[in-house]
Amino acid sequence: KHSRFAVFALGSSAYPNYCYFGKSIDTLLGSLGGHRLMEVTLGDEMCAQEATFRKWAADVFKVSLFFSCRKHQNRFIILKYFF
């Protein structure tokens, strides 16, 4: 409860239930009261999965910094210039 999360779902669009497990975990965590940092991101084995993951990881890091620093606005102002 009150936990923040982000899900990167792995799969292949060659299969009918593409990223089903990751989507299910995202739905479950949300239904249990978790707060999404961002929408579930789908990593397709057939199309640039590694590049998609790298972008997702950087985005999660930035969003996490925002939530961890928003109580301390002075620190956030300093950190935001790094991105």
Side-chain angles (χ1 to χ4, degrees), residues 2-83:
H2 303 295
S3 296
R4 290 182 168 78
F5 69 93
V7 175
F8 185 85
L10 298 171
S12 172
S13 58
Y15 293 96
N17 292 322
Y18 172 53
C19 292
Y20 179 78
F21 182 74
K23 292 175 187 177
S24 298
I25 292 295
D26 182 75
T27 300
L28 177 64
L29 292 172
S31 70
L32 292 173
H35 300 281
R36 276 181 194 84
L37 291 174
M38 55 195 298
E39 291 298 314
V40 62
T41 300
L42 309 180
D44 188 356
E45 176 183 60
M46 305 297 284
C47 181
Q49 188 177 62
E50 187 174 336
T52 304
F53 176 77
R54 288 175 191 261
K55 182 182 179 331
W56 174 84
D59 291 346
V60 168
F61 181 72
K62 290 175 193 175
V63 171
S64 297
L65 280 177
F66 172 76
F67 280 106
S68 67
C69 295
R70 73 178 185 182
K71 291 181 183 177
H72 307 284
Q73 289 182 350
N74 291 337
R75 276 199 294 174
F76 176 66
I77 290 169
I78 293 167
L79 289 172
K80 76 178 183 179
Y81 292 108
F82 289 103
F83 300 104

